[in-house]
Amino acid sequence: MEPTRIMSRRYKFFSGSLAGVPLHPIFVGISELLVQTIHFGNRKFLRAFELAALSLGVAVTMIPLPARATTNWVSTRTQAFLLSNAPASAGPDAARRYSLNSLSIPALTDTNVTPLELSQPLHITVALKHRNVDQLDRFLRDLNQPGSASYHRYLTPAEFRARFSPTDAQVAAVVAHLKANGFRNVSVSENNMLIFADGNANNVQSAFQTSIKRFNYNGKPVYGNDLSAFVPPSLGSIVDSVLGLQNAVVPHSMLQRFAPEAVIEPNSIEKNTTDASQLVGHQPTDFAKIYDASSLPAATNTTVGIITWGDMTKTIADLNTFTQNAHLPEVNTAVVEDGSGTPVHDTDPTDTDPTEWALDSQVIIGTSGGVKELIFYPAMSGDSYNRVTAATLTAAFNKAVIDNKATIINVSLGTDEDATYSEGALAADDAVFKQAVAQGQIFSVASGDAGAYVGSHTPQGAQGYIGTSDGTSVTTMIDLSKYSVAYPASSPYVVAVGGTMLSTTGTMRWAGETVWNDGADYADRGRNGELVDNAVRIWATGGGVSAYEAAPSWQTAALGSSVTKRVLPDVAFDAARSTGAYIIVNGQKTKSPIGGTSLASPIFVGGWARLESAKNNSLSLPTPAFYENLPGNTALYHDVTSGNNGYDGYGFTAKPGWDMVTGFGSLDFAKISAAIPSWRAQ
């Protein structure tokens, strides 16, 4: 009998009653696991069964059952998110303990790890591999190489699909596999790179030979796979990863909310100010003058995108209020959903604060002077808890690329690079960003607000965790010499934007910049600002060395052969709250400035949009040109030479020229615009 038929009949039998007589919950739980054996194999059964037995406090006898032959199945990039800490020599009665497959492999404590109910709904995204990868990489290299036959010969989405996307036959094979294993609502992205499907834990187990566990993490009920995802040999050359198998580590916005006066230990680096300059907040329109973009025409020939989540109604209303107050034209806006899931609603526990999207949109418009169209690309909900996951964020990136309307796209979001890599989302997103580069689109990504400790999380999930505090001093609880960076800022196919503390003469004349690092503050607070624990984090610009992304050739050529991994950021702009932006949120002007690299990236987007409009939207990914032309030419940018992004002497430190905290520093947009023709002539 086919496994799927066994499962169908089993579920009626073990649904909680037998001939109308209720079964004890213990036997219902055990029956779930026994059926997993029939469909899933002895090795995986033993792992789950011993855990359930110990959790339920019962003694059981192992019954050997026939395993499905899957030894020749092919692994995907999706690794186990839950790693078992039990030694190989442990017997069947050993307690299973788990760690997360992310930075430092943090162990799970004070939580039960149990099998996820087989009926638990799951929304997945299957990411497929490019065809002709060597040809694609060569095309991308030549695309930004003056003198090349491919120089700035951008592809349309249809041309990209014909040359590099999976074929329709390859897609059909994956779709057939999903449907054969019970998935429903199966749909395919227009570029054939992503396949979306709804199912449950049972469908995931049978289709990918993995298992899903449930547990509590950061105060929330979550799940994660404790085995890697596999596919049949016929799909091994097609399927790259399976996203949506965990929802414990999810995307975060890069927004600074804490009050500077509440800092426990402020950063001791002397700020780059003079007697004539000051640290003050700014209107979004000020940044165009500060960074010398206002002398360029407004970006009314350029369409800009923003990756978001949630309802954009309030954001657009606040944007209209802002433009009225700033005497700017009303912005032509659009909201484009990818259709791969359900919209995130206001009870989303991840983050529905409209401040993030208000900051992005108002700073982009204020700095650009206006755009042709501003398009919001909301990521959908990826699980029954209404969270954005890697699966739905990848889909939002991909929709902006398929749409191919936005020349430059802002991303004020990030995740733990280690978890993103182990899940397979890093490679899937890089594939999307490659298509963007091929089409002449630019993704600008905030480098993060957790300094050198993006992968270190507090008990409530805040990044930048360094220890605890009694209110007067900090007790370090992590290895301060172990650094991490955020993804997608670490992708070589995006512009990574770091943060500075800006000083000005008045409010609109640049006077100096220092690395943004506000020091240590309590991290975990309730809805009303009350402390929920004594965990402490730092607020500082992200930057450092990727653990996974290879350094692009243009970065190694500029920085030396010792640079073998992608280093970031590329540039940096104002991110400190004390010097940040006053914006409109829920119809009212904020009482204090808003900061974070969520401010820095939109400043770059708005300024660069002016350049794109002036150059007929022909510039594409500018980082190769930055690394080739900016070294030694400091007249084109503001070199940031003081400050660091760590704690207690650790982290990366600014220096003359490019560095791993501010990149090349902030750009003088007018001077860059004047220099670009000579870059092309090289």
Side-chain angles (χ1 to χ4, degrees), residues 19 58 71 80-81 89 105 121 147 158 174 246 259 302 352-353 371 401 423 465 469 481 484 525 535 553 601 626 647:
V58 298
T71 55
F81 181 74
S89 60
I105 314 182
V174 179
Q246 70 88 13
T302 298
T352 53
D353 184 349
V371 297
V401 172
E423 188 173 5
Y465 172 68
S469 176
S481 67
S484 53
R525 299 177 183 271
S553 58
S601 181
F626 287 169
Y647 176 77

Side-chain angles (χ1 to χ4, degrees), residues 152 154 299-304 372 405-408 439-442 608-621 680:
H152 286 185
Y154 307 122
T300 52
N301 189 39
T302 298
T303 296
V304 174
K372 180 178 180 180
K405 292 182 180 179
T407 300
I408 184 166
Q439 295 175 179
Q441 294 177 291
I442 304 166
W608 198 259
R610 289 186 184 248
L611 270 70
E612 287 284 2
S613 276
K615 310 297 181 183
N616 198 29
N617 299 310
S618 64
L619 299 181
S620 186
L621 185 69
R680 293 186 176 188

Side-chain angles (χ1 to χ4, degrees), residues 490-507:
S490 64
S491 172
Y493 307 105
V494 307
V495 179
V497 185
T500 67
M501 174 172 280
L502 171 69
S503 61
T504 55
T505 302
T507 59

Side-chain angles (χ1 to χ4, degrees), residues 11 32 36 114-122 200-202 212 214 385:
Y11 206 75
E32 286 275 307
Q36 288 183 39
T114 59
L116 186 66
E117 295 85 350
L118 294 178
S119 59
Q120 172 68 43
L122 294 174
N200 55 35
N202 173 39
I212 312 291
R214 61 178 177 177
Y385 304 116

Side-chain angles (χ1 to χ4, degrees), residues 87-116:
S89 60
D93 294 331
R96 289 288 184 190
R97 299 191 182 278
Y98 290 87
S99 296
L100 301 187
N101 196 351
S102 61
L103 186 74
S104 303
I105 314 182
L108 290 177
T109 58
D110 301 323
T111 182
N112 289 325
V113 179
T114 59
L116 186 66

